[in-house]
Amino acid sequence: MERKTVFITGSNRGIGKAILKKFVEEEYNIVACARKDAGGDS
Protein backbone atom coordinates (compact mmCIF):
# COMPACT_ATOMS: atom_id res chain seq x y z
CA MET A 1 0.00 0.00 0.00
CA GLU A 2 1.27 3.47 -0.86
CA ARG A 3 1.78 5.87 2.04
CA LYS A 4 0.29 9.33 1.90
CA THR A 5 2.35 12.42 2.63
CA VAL A 6 1.18 15.35 4.77
CA PHE A 7 2.62 18.84 5.22
CA ILE A 8 2.08 20.33 8.67
CA THR A 9 2.90 23.92 9.65
CA GLY A 10 3.24 25.13 13.23
CA SER A 11 4.13 21.61 14.29
CA ASN A 12 6.05 22.42 17.48
CA ARG A 13 3.14 23.58 19.67
CA GLY A 14 -0.57 23.31 20.29
CA ILE A 15 -2.89 21.83 17.69
CA GLY A 16 -0.11 21.53 15.10
CA LYS A 17 1.87 19.31 17.47
CA ALA A 18 -1.21 17.21 18.24
CA ILE A 19 -1.90 16.75 14.53
CA LEU A 20 1.74 15.79 13.96
CA LYS A 21 1.59 13.12 16.68
CA LYS A 22 -1.59 11.63 15.17
CA PHE A 23 -0.04 11.34 11.72
CA VAL A 24 3.10 9.77 13.25
CA GLU A 25 0.88 7.13 14.90
CA GLU A 26 -0.78 6.44 11.54
CA GLU A 27 2.69 6.12 9.87
CA TYR A 28 2.23 8.85 7.25
CA ASN A 29 5.17 10.43 5.45
CA ILE A 30 5.46 13.83 7.13
CA VAL A 31 6.92 17.20 6.18
CA ALA A 32 6.69 19.54 9.18
CA CYS A 33 7.89 23.04 9.91
CA ALA A 34 7.82 25.64 12.66
CA ARG A 35 8.84 29.29 13.01
CA LYS A 36 10.81 28.82 16.22
CA ASP A 37 12.91 26.09 17.75
CA ALA A 38 10.86 24.61 20.59
CA GLY A 39 13.88 22.89 22.10
CA GLY A 40 13.61 19.48 23.66
CA ASP A 41 12.10 16.63 21.67
CA SER A 42 9.79 18.54 19.31
Side-chain angles (χ1 to χ4, degrees):
M1 178 167 58
E2 185 177 328
R3 283 187 177 181
K4 293 190 178 187
T5 301
V6 296
F7 182 85
I8 304 168
T9 61
S11 62
N12 65 328
R13 297 187 332 189
I15 193 166
K17 189 172 184 177
I19 291 168
L20 174 66
K21 287 181 179 183
K22 183 62 177 171
F23 281 115
V24 167
E25 291 172 4
E26 299 294 326
E27 298 183 352
Y28 277 68
N29 294 319
I30 301 167
V31 178
C33 66
R35 290 189 312 166
K36 296 182 181 180
D37 181 6
D41 64 346
S42 295

